[in-house]
Amino acid sequence: MWDCTLVNTLDLLLHPVRVRIVHAMSGGRTRTTYELCTRLPDVPRTTVYRHVGLLAEAGVLEVVGEQRVHGAVERRYRLHQTRARIDPDTAASMSLDEHRHAFAAAMAALLAEFNTYLEQEYADPTADSVGYTQIPLWLSKDELAGLVTEVRSAIKSRLDNKPAPDRRLHLVSPILFPIEEQPDQ
């Protein structure tokens, strides 16, 4: 089992392929590694199997069933939600380089997910309300805190949504950081 120290937790969760596996397992889904390979067609199968193994060993994925398929054991996994996130205390203890690495991993995973979406025959960015607008806003500390609370609340109220015939899994990726120093008063 992985030693879940800060460095190992960050290394485990901040790899672009593992980020994509976590995304693919979100929403209460259970999947086999074979199904994940189908969901991540641009990632070599051996790579998916290796990363699923690492996530399972660390307890981020848990086995919920096994069956024999062509003489081999096929496992069905579920995401262990609390182990699939970097908690606020861990984020607060990260160095600037670790934040840089985390951001780069998130952007690499986001780009790969978007490219996978665009390569699907059902892709229709306009109909699917795809957005990637960047909006600079002047905000005081209180206004920023209010905005963060509102966005978190909107997302949190939907986190327990389960798959349903009228639902599709969407990737929401809020990114927020200051782009200028605070002006002198």
Side-chain angles (χ1 to χ4, degrees), residues 19-29 31 36 39 79 81 113 117 122 128 130 158-172:
V19 169
R20 292 182 65 201
I21 290 170
V22 168
H23 291 168
M25 297 299 294
S26 295
R29 293 182 177 207
R31 295 185 188 220
L36 284 168
R39 173 70 177 75
L79 186 64
Q81 292 286 354
E113 291 281 11
Y117 161 73
Y122 64 79
D128 292 336
V130 170
R158 292 160 178 87
L159 279 177
D160 291 330
N161 286 1
K162 302 291 183 225
D166 65 333
R167 286 187 174 146
R168 288 173 58 190
L169 189 60
H170 289 77
L171 181 58
V172 178

Side-chain angles (χ1 to χ4, degrees), residues 103 106-107 110 133-135 147 151 155 172-178:
F103 188 80
M107 293 302 95
L110 187 62
T133 302
Q134 297 176 4
I135 305 166
L147 177 63
V151 171
I155 292 170
V172 178
S173 189
I175 299 168
L176 177 69
F177 58 89

Side-chain angles (χ1 to χ4, degrees), residues 135 137 139-154 176:
I135 305 166
L137 299 173
L139 301 169
S140 69
K141 284 188 175 193
D142 289 341
E143 292 166 331
L144 175 61
L147 177 63
V148 168
T149 298
E150 290 168 19
V151 171
R152 284 183 179 160
S153 177
L176 177 69

Side-chain angles (χ1 to χ4, degrees), residues 24 26 29 43-44 49 67 81 90 111 121 124-125 133 160 172:
S26 295
R29 293 182 177 207
V43 180
Y49 275 87
Q67 66 181 14
Q81 292 286 354
T90 301
L111 182 58
E121 83 179 41
D124 185 344
T133 302
D160 291 330
V172 178

Side-chain angles (χ1 to χ4, degrees), residues 10 14 19 86 94 96-107:
L10 294 178
L14 296 181
V19 169
I86 296 172
M94 291 167 56
L96 294 179
D97 280 341
E98 288 168 331
H99 279 286
R100 186 175 290 112
H101 175 73
F103 188 80
M107 293 302 95

